[in-house]
Protein backbone atom coordinates (compact mmCIF):
# COMPACT_ATOMS: atom_id res chain seq x y z
CA UNK A 1 0.00 0.00 0.00
CA UNK A 2 1.48 3.37 -1.03
CA UNK A 3 1.65 6.11 1.59
CA UNK A 4 0.38 9.40 0.10
CA UNK A 5 3.02 12.10 -0.09
CA UNK A 6 2.42 15.33 1.84
CA UNK A 7 1.01 18.14 -0.25
CA UNK A 8 3.53 20.88 -1.09
CA UNK A 9 3.11 24.23 0.65
CA UNK A 10 1.45 26.68 -1.76
CA UNK A 11 3.86 29.32 -3.03
CA UNK A 12 1.22 31.98 -2.47
CA UNK A 13 1.27 31.20 1.27
CA UNK A 14 5.08 31.50 1.34
CA UNK A 15 4.96 34.88 -0.36
CA UNK A 16 2.64 36.23 2.30
CA UNK A 17 4.38 34.49 5.22
CA UNK A 18 7.84 35.97 4.59
CA UNK A 19 6.81 39.68 4.89
CA UNK A 20 4.65 38.77 7.90
CA UNK A 21 7.62 37.14 9.62
CA UNK A 22 9.82 40.17 8.93
CA UNK A 23 7.16 42.54 10.24
CA UNK A 24 6.74 40.41 13.38
CA UNK A 25 10.50 40.59 14.05
CA UNK A 26 10.32 44.36 13.65
CA UNK A 27 7.48 44.60 16.18
CA UNK A 28 9.42 42.46 18.68
CA UNK A 29 12.52 44.63 18.28
CA UNK A 30 10.64 47.92 18.73
CA UNK A 31 8.79 46.52 21.75
CA UNK A 32 12.08 45.43 23.34
CA UNK A 33 13.66 48.80 22.58
CA UNK A 34 10.73 50.61 24.18
CA UNK A 35 11.14 48.54 27.35
CA UNK A 36 14.85 49.35 27.37
CA UNK A 37 14.13 53.05 27.01
CA UNK A 38 11.72 52.95 29.93
CA UNK A 39 14.21 51.06 32.07
CA UNK A 40 17.00 53.63 31.72
CA UNK A 41 20.50 53.54 30.26
CA UNK A 42 22.88 50.90 28.95
CA UNK A 43 23.58 47.91 31.23
CA UNK A 44 26.42 48.58 33.61
CA UNK A 45 26.56 52.31 32.90
CA UNK A 46 27.32 54.48 35.92
CA UNK A 47 25.54 57.50 34.52
CA UNK A 48 23.49 58.58 31.54
CA UNK A 49 25.43 61.73 30.79
CA UNK A 50 29.17 62.21 30.63
CA UNK A 51 30.60 64.65 33.18
CA UNK A 52 32.85 66.27 30.58
CA UNK A 53 31.04 66.54 27.25
CA UNK A 54 33.22 65.90 24.19
CA UNK A 55 33.87 68.68 21.75
CA UNK A 56 31.56 68.39 18.79
CA UNK A 57 30.78 70.67 15.91
CA UNK A 58 27.47 70.27 14.13
CA UNK A 59 27.73 70.38 10.35
CA UNK A 60 24.82 71.18 8.04
CA UNK A 61 24.76 68.07 5.89
CA UNK A 62 22.01 68.70 3.40
CA UNK A 63 23.14 72.13 2.25
CA UNK A 64 21.25 75.41 2.30
CA UNK A 65 17.53 75.15 1.77
CA UNK A 66 16.78 78.38 -0.06
CA UNK A 67 13.44 78.81 -1.81
CA UNK A 68 12.53 81.55 -4.26
CA UNK A 69 10.22 84.35 -3.09
CA UNK A 70 6.64 83.64 -4.12
CA UNK A 71 3.10 83.66 -2.80
CA UNK A 72 2.80 81.34 0.17
CA UNK A 73 0.90 78.10 -0.60
CA UNK A 74 -2.17 77.41 1.51
CA UNK A 75 -0.52 74.34 3.03
CA UNK A 76 1.93 76.68 4.81
CA UNK A 77 -0.90 78.77 6.26
CA UNK A 78 -2.58 78.43 9.67
CA UNK A 79 -4.79 75.54 8.52
CA UNK A 80 -2.26 73.81 6.28
CA UNK A 81 -0.61 70.52 7.22
CA UNK A 82 2.93 71.85 6.85
CA UNK A 83 2.10 75.20 8.41
CA UNK A 84 0.72 73.56 11.55
CA UNK A 85 3.92 71.51 11.81
CA UNK A 86 6.41 74.29 11.09
CA UNK A 87 5.07 76.94 13.49
CA UNK A 88 5.63 75.11 16.81
CA UNK A 89 8.98 73.72 15.65
CA UNK A 90 10.15 77.19 14.62
CA UNK A 91 8.85 78.73 17.85
CA UNK A 92 10.72 76.11 19.92
CA UNK A 93 14.05 77.76 18.94
CA UNK A 94 14.33 80.45 21.57
CA UNK A 95 16.78 83.41 21.50
CA UNK A 96 19.01 81.76 24.13
CA UNK A 97 19.94 79.06 21.60
CA UNK A 98 17.89 76.55 23.54
CA UNK A 99 14.90 74.37 22.54
CA UNK A 100 11.57 74.81 24.33
CA UNK A 101 10.36 71.28 24.98
CA UNK A 102 6.59 71.94 25.00
CA UNK A 103 6.75 73.58 21.55
CA UNK A 104 9.14 70.94 20.22
CA UNK A 105 6.69 68.22 21.25
CA UNK A 106 3.76 70.12 19.72
CA UNK A 107 5.70 70.18 16.44
CA UNK A 108 6.26 66.43 16.71
CA UNK A 109 2.52 65.86 17.17
CA UNK A 110 1.88 67.56 13.83
CA UNK A 111 4.76 65.71 12.15
CA UNK A 112 3.24 62.39 13.26
CA UNK A 113 -0.09 63.40 11.71
CA UNK A 114 1.68 64.09 8.43
CA UNK A 115 3.69 60.84 8.38
CA UNK A 116 0.90 58.48 9.51
CA UNK A 117 -0.78 58.08 6.06
CA UNK A 118 2.45 56.83 4.43
CA UNK A 119 1.61 53.14 4.97
CA UNK A 120 1.00 50.60 7.73
CA UNK A 121 4.67 50.12 8.67
CA UNK A 122 5.12 53.88 9.00
CA UNK A 123 1.88 54.19 10.94
CA UNK A 124 3.41 51.77 13.47
CA UNK A 125 6.64 53.78 13.55
CA UNK A 126 4.74 57.02 14.10
CA UNK A 127 2.80 55.38 16.93
CA UNK A 128 6.18 54.66 18.55
CA UNK A 129 7.15 58.32 18.08
CA UNK A 130 3.82 59.38 19.55
CA UNK A 131 4.47 57.22 22.62
CA UNK A 132 7.85 58.91 23.11
CA UNK A 133 6.24 62.34 22.76
CA UNK A 134 3.69 61.36 25.41
CA UNK A 135 6.49 60.19 27.75
CA UNK A 136 8.28 63.54 27.43
CA UNK A 137 5.03 65.47 27.88
CA UNK A 138 4.54 63.63 31.18
CA UNK A 139 7.89 65.05 32.33
CA UNK A 140 7.17 68.55 30.98
CA UNK A 141 3.89 68.65 32.96
CA UNK A 142 4.97 66.44 35.89
CA UNK A 143 6.10 67.21 39.45
CA UNK A 144 9.60 68.19 38.25
CA UNK A 145 8.26 70.36 35.42
CA UNK A 146 10.60 73.24 36.30
CA UNK A 147 13.54 71.08 35.16
CA UNK A 148 11.90 70.15 31.85
CA UNK A 149 11.04 73.52 30.34
CA UNK A 150 13.79 73.27 27.74
CA UNK A 151 16.38 70.85 26.43
CA UNK A 152 19.21 72.64 28.25
CA UNK A 153 17.41 72.55 31.61
CA UNK A 154 16.60 68.85 31.14
CA UNK A 155 20.21 67.97 30.31
CA UNK A 156 21.43 69.95 33.34
CA UNK A 157 18.89 68.29 35.65
CA UNK A 158 19.70 64.75 34.53
CA UNK A 159 23.44 65.16 35.06
CA UNK A 160 25.13 62.87 37.62
CA UNK A 161 24.49 63.87 41.22
CA UNK A 162 21.89 66.52 40.36
CA UNK A 163 18.75 64.36 40.29
CA UNK A 164 19.80 61.15 42.10
CA UNK A 165 16.26 59.88 42.60
CA UNK A 166 15.16 59.74 38.96
CA UNK A 167 13.15 56.49 38.72
CA UNK A 168 14.49 55.41 35.32
CA UNK A 169 17.99 56.83 35.02
CA UNK A 170 17.75 59.58 32.39
CA UNK A 171 14.26 59.12 30.95
CA UNK A 172 13.98 62.49 29.23
CA UNK A 173 17.46 62.51 27.72
CA UNK A 174 17.19 59.00 26.26
CA UNK A 175 13.72 59.60 24.82
CA UNK A 176 14.83 62.91 23.35
CA UNK A 177 17.79 61.26 21.62
CA UNK A 178 15.53 58.70 19.90
CA UNK A 179 13.14 61.42 18.70
CA UNK A 180 16.11 63.47 17.55
CA UNK A 181 17.33 60.70 15.25
CA UNK A 182 13.84 60.19 13.83
CA UNK A 183 13.59 63.93 13.16
CA UNK A 184 16.76 63.74 11.06
CA UNK A 185 15.25 60.98 8.92
CA UNK A 186 12.08 63.03 8.42
CA UNK A 187 14.06 66.12 7.42
CA UNK A 188 16.27 64.28 4.93
CA UNK A 189 13.32 62.43 3.43
CA UNK A 190 11.26 65.60 2.87
CA UNK A 191 14.24 67.51 1.48
CA UNK A 192 15.11 64.78 -1.03
CA UNK A 193 11.51 64.32 -2.14
CA UNK A 194 11.17 68.07 -2.67
CA UNK A 195 14.39 68.48 -4.64
CA UNK A 196 14.44 65.17 -6.57
CA UNK A 197 14.88 65.49 -10.32
CA UNK A 198 12.55 64.05 -12.93
CA UNK A 199 13.90 60.69 -14.06
CA UNK A 200 15.97 60.32 -10.89
CA UNK A 201 15.38 57.99 -7.91
CA UNK A 202 11.78 57.75 -6.75
CA UNK A 203 10.57 58.94 -3.36
CA UNK A 204 10.86 55.47 -1.80
CA UNK A 205 14.51 55.13 -2.83
CA UNK A 206 15.33 58.63 -1.58
CA UNK A 207 13.65 58.13 1.79
CA UNK A 208 15.30 54.72 2.07
CA UNK A 209 18.68 56.42 1.56
CA UNK A 210 17.70 58.93 4.25
CA UNK A 211 16.94 56.00 6.57
CA UNK A 212 20.39 54.57 5.83
CA UNK A 213 21.96 57.87 6.87
CA UNK A 214 19.94 58.73 9.98
CA UNK A 215 18.56 55.53 11.54
CA UNK A 216 20.09 52.38 10.05
CA UNK A 217 23.43 52.77 11.94
CA UNK A 218 21.47 52.38 15.19
CA UNK A 219 19.38 49.34 14.11
CA UNK A 220 20.30 45.63 13.90
CA UNK A 221 20.48 43.85 10.55
CA UNK A 222 16.98 42.35 10.47
CA UNK A 223 15.34 45.71 11.26
CA UNK A 224 17.31 47.34 8.44
CA UNK A 225 16.14 44.66 6.01
CA UNK A 226 12.52 45.04 7.13
CA UNK A 227 12.74 48.81 6.68
CA UNK A 228 14.15 48.49 3.17
CA UNK A 229 11.29 46.16 2.24
CA UNK A 230 8.78 48.64 3.65
CA UNK A 231 10.19 51.42 1.47
CA UNK A 232 9.25 49.38 -1.60
CA UNK A 233 5.62 50.24 -0.78
CA UNK A 234 6.41 53.90 -0.09
CA UNK A 235 4.06 56.40 -1.82
CA UNK A 236 5.31 58.02 -5.02
CA UNK A 237 6.55 61.59 -5.15
CA UNK A 238 3.24 62.84 -6.52
CA UNK A 239 1.29 61.28 -3.66
CA UNK A 240 3.65 62.77 -1.06
CA UNK A 241 3.38 66.22 -2.63
CA UNK A 242 -0.41 65.91 -2.64
CA UNK A 243 -0.41 64.92 1.05
CA UNK A 244 1.83 67.87 1.90
CA UNK A 245 0.01 70.47 -0.19
CA UNK A 246 -3.44 69.32 -1.32
CA UNK A 247 -4.64 71.11 -4.43
CA UNK A 248 -1.34 72.89 -5.10
CA UNK A 249 0.74 72.76 -8.26
CA UNK A 250 3.84 70.57 -8.12
CA UNK A 251 6.23 73.55 -8.02
CA UNK A 252 4.32 75.06 -5.07
CA UNK A 253 4.26 71.77 -3.19
CA UNK A 254 7.99 71.25 -3.75
CA UNK A 255 8.71 74.77 -2.51
CA UNK A 256 6.60 74.17 0.60
CA UNK A 257 8.42 70.91 1.37
CA UNK A 258 11.79 72.65 0.98
CA UNK A 259 10.72 75.22 3.55
CA UNK A 260 9.38 72.57 5.91
CA UNK A 261 12.62 70.58 5.61
CA UNK A 262 14.57 73.76 6.34
CA UNK A 263 12.64 74.28 9.57
CA UNK A 264 13.25 70.68 10.65
CA UNK A 265 16.95 71.05 9.87
CA UNK A 266 17.21 74.21 11.99
CA UNK A 267 15.61 72.34 14.91
CA UNK A 268 17.81 69.30 14.33
CA UNK A 269 21.03 71.33 14.29
CA UNK A 270 20.14 73.24 17.48
CA UNK A 271 19.21 69.98 19.23
CA UNK A 272 22.34 68.25 17.95
CA UNK A 273 24.53 70.95 19.49
CA UNK A 274 22.83 70.71 22.88
CA UNK A 275 22.89 66.91 22.96
CA UNK A 276 26.58 66.94 22.00
CA UNK A 277 27.40 69.43 24.77
CA UNK A 278 25.65 67.12 27.25
CA UNK A 279 27.48 64.00 26.02
CA UNK A 280 24.20 62.38 24.97
CA UNK A 281 24.78 61.40 21.36
CA UNK A 282 26.02 57.90 22.28
CA UNK A 283 23.50 57.31 25.06
CA UNK A 284 21.74 54.59 23.05
Amino acid sequence: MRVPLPQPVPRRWLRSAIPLAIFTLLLVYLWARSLRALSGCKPGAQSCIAREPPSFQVRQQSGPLEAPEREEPQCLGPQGMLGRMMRPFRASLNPERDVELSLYLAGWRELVRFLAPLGSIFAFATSEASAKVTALEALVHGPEAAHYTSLATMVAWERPGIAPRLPAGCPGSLTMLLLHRALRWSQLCLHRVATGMLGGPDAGAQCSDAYGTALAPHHPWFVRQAAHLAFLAFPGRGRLLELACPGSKEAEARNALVRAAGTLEDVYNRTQSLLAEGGLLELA
Side-chain angles (χ1 to χ4, degrees), residues 11 46 82 91 176 252 256 260 266 275:
R11 295 182 64 185
Q46 296 296 319
L82 296 181
M176 186 71 181
E252 291 179 340
D266 290 341
L275 292 175

Side-chain angles (χ1 to χ4, degrees), residues 10-40:
R11 295 182 64 185
R12 185 175 59 182
W13 185 90
L14 289 176
R15 287 197 299 268
S16 62
I18 292 173
L20 179 61
I22 293 174
F23 183 67
T24 302
L25 287 173
L26 177 60
L27 293 182
V28 171
Y29 169 77
L30 292 174
W31 173 76
R33 188 175 182 85
S34 298
L35 290 179
R36 179 185 171 198
L38 292 173
S39 64

Side-chain angles (χ1 to χ4, degrees), residues 202-209 231-232 234-236:
D202 61 20
Q206 291 180 315
C207 290
S208 180
D209 287 344
F231 280 113
L232 296 178
F234 202 75

Side-chain angles (χ1 to χ4, degrees), residues 62-87:
S62 64
L65 294 171
E66 299 288 340
E69 292 291 334
R70 62 180 67 189
E71 185 178 351
E72 186 173 86
Q74 290 187 357
C75 59
L76 293 176
Q79 302 304 318
M81 174 72 75
L82 296 181
R84 294 197 307 269
M85 177 187 72
M86 291 168 62
R87 279 191 300 278

Side-chain angles (χ1 to χ4, degrees), residues 173-234:
S173 302
L174 178 58
T175 305
M176 186 71 181
L177 176 62
L178 300 178
L179 282 176
H180 174 66
R181 291 170 179 167
L183 187 71
R184 182 56 166 168
W185 171 80
S186 302
Q187 180 268 316
L188 288 174
C189 177
L190 295 185
H191 180 267
R192 294 176 184 183
V193 168
T195 58
M197 302 297 293
L198 293 175
D202 61 20
Q206 291 180 315
C207 290
S208 180
D209 287 344
Y211 168 81
T213 299
L215 293 174
H218 310 288
H219 291 167
W221 178 86
F222 69 87
V223 174
R224 296 196 300 269
Q225 301 309 306
H228 287 310
L229 286 176
F231 280 113
L232 296 178
F234 202 75

